Amino acid sequence: MKIVCVVENNVIANSDLQSEHGLSFWIETPDGAVLLDTGQTASVFSHNLEKLGLLPQTVSALALSHSHYDHTGGLEIVLAAKNSLPIYANPDLFRPRYALRNGEYHSIGMKISQSTLSSQANIKLSDTPIELIPGLWTTGEIVERPEPQGSSPHLFIQTVKGWEPDPYLDDMSLVYKTSNGLVLICGCCHAGILNTLFHVKRIFSEPIIAIIGGIHLNHADNQYLDHVVEVIAENFPSLDLYLNHCTGETAFAKLSKAFGQRVKKYPAGSILKFE
């Protein structure tokens, strides 16, 4: 099984890949290939797929970690490549989402409508875990969230009560079962990295050996980052972390100091392999 980082804020050195604030992973196993997210733009997503020799028409399924534009911007590339592609996501995926900037609310959700997407793909919405291909699962909705979420103070939804902070109900990750334990593959982890880790531990009842992706600690203060380090050290002592996108430089430095070589950056073009 291998995971290729297709789109990310940074790229590996001396490559022809393009970077953007976004994320996409290509997950390939003997039973098929699955995409998690599609980056921010169709142009960067398609360019990097081509440079990496990855053919979107060969994927078995697409999973969307959440609806933000920097994870769903390349959807048209996958839809054009394969008709009726299964797309897995949380039922709250199509809720309009906004960012408050300079006193105005701007849409930051998917550019493609639910009706258009439904006409071109086989949408499978579920708040419970689903097996996409053998060994690769969605987390389902992260229901219990006693720890802080991976939130941003300027992100909102509109309700009958007015503007409210986004509860990130659509956030989900993927879990791959290896012979040695579970690999957790995150988009942004808006549900909170600790909430997500304990959810996976509770649902799948196997040790978690690695986290890959963005874990949205870029707004976390030092006190909470110290708490994250303590919880991981106590409850997930053999965890390897391959981090990118929204993790944050301060968080990366703090985790690196605590866990040394077990923490690595994971820019576009990087490939990880698991038995």
Side-chain angles (χ1 to χ4, degrees):
M1 175 263 198
K2 70 176 182 180
I3 303 174
V4 184
C5 185
V6 179
V7 177
E8 204 268 314
N9 305 29
N10 301 283
V11 301
I12 58 175
N14 303 315
S15 75
D16 294 326
L17 301 175
Q18 297 176 358
S19 64
E20 66 179 2
H21 179 79
L23 197 63
S24 176
F25 293 127
W26 177 283
I27 305 160
E28 188 172 319
T29 82
D31 296 295
V34 171
L35 276 165
L36 174 64
D37 297 342
T38 62
Q40 180 182 157
T41 64
S43 59
V44 171
F45 180 55
S46 60
H47 172 87
N48 287 2
L49 283 173
E50 181 181 355
K51 293 298 181 180
L52 292 166
L54 303 174
L55 303 175
Q57 60 266 33
T58 64
V59 297
S60 302
L62 167 67
L64 296 176
S65 66
H66 62 300
S67 65
H68 285 163
Y69 69 98
D70 53 325
H71 293 255
T72 58
L75 267 171
E76 62 189 73
I77 300 301
V78 189
L79 296 175
K82 191 163 186 177
N83 293 326
S84 300
L85 179 71
I87 297 181
Y88 295 85
N90 181 276
D92 205 49
L93 179 75
F94 294 103
R95 179 193 295 271
R97 287 174 164 83
Y98 301 88
L100 180 60
R101 298 171 182 152
N102 300 318
E104 295 183 356
Y105 290 95
H106 300 268
S107 174
I108 58 168
M110 294 194 302
K111 297 176 182 178
I112 188 170
S113 69
Q114 181 173 359
S115 59
T116 300
L117 191 60
S118 298
S119 68
Q120 300 181 44
N122 181 12
I123 303 178
K124 298 178 179 291
L125 304 180
S126 176
D127 56 8
T128 59
I130 294 179
E131 191 172 27
L132 311 184
I133 56 176
L136 182 66
W137 291 75
T138 68
T139 57
E141 183 179 326
I142 314 301
V143 178
E144 298 182 23
R145 301 185 182 187
E147 294 282 351
Q149 299 189 115
S151 60
S152 297
H154 61 286
L155 300 186
F156 292 86
I157 60 170
Q158 194 170 24
T159 72
V160 294
K161 299 179 181 179
W163 294 102
E164 296 185 0
D166 192 339
Y168 309 110
L169 298 182
D170 62 330
D171 182 80
M172 71 174 195
S173 299
L174 297 184
V175 175
Y176 186 72
K177 295 185 176 183
T178 77
S179 56
N180 297 316
L182 306 175
V183 176
L184 174 62
I185 311 164
C186 303
C188 262
C189 224
H190 282 299
I193 182 57
L194 297 184
N195 295 327
T196 301
L197 281 168
F198 283 115
H199 170 88
V200 170
K201 182 180 181 180
R202 183 170 59 253
I203 296 296
F204 293 92
S205 303
E206 294 180 36
I208 305 170
I209 61 171
I211 298 173
I212 299 168
I215 58 174
H216 214 282
L217 293 172
N218 50 353
H219 294 290
D221 58 26
N222 280 318
Q223 183 178 0
Y224 184 62
L225 291 177
D226 289 338
H227 174 67
V228 170
V229 167
E230 292 174 3
V231 172
I232 289 177
E234 180 178 350
N235 296 276
F236 307 95
S238 59
L239 199 62
D240 290 322
L241 299 95
Y242 303 90
L243 305 175
N244 59 18
H245 187 47
C246 57
T247 298
E249 289 300 324
T250 302
F252 184 86
K254 183 87 68 173
L255 291 163
S256 295
K257 183 178 180 180
F259 303 120
Q261 292 301 309
R262 288 163 49 197
V263 181
K264 296 179 175 64
K265 292 191 174 182
Y266 193 51
S270 303
I271 300 174
L272 289 173
K273 295 184 178 181
F274 295 90
E275 295 298 329

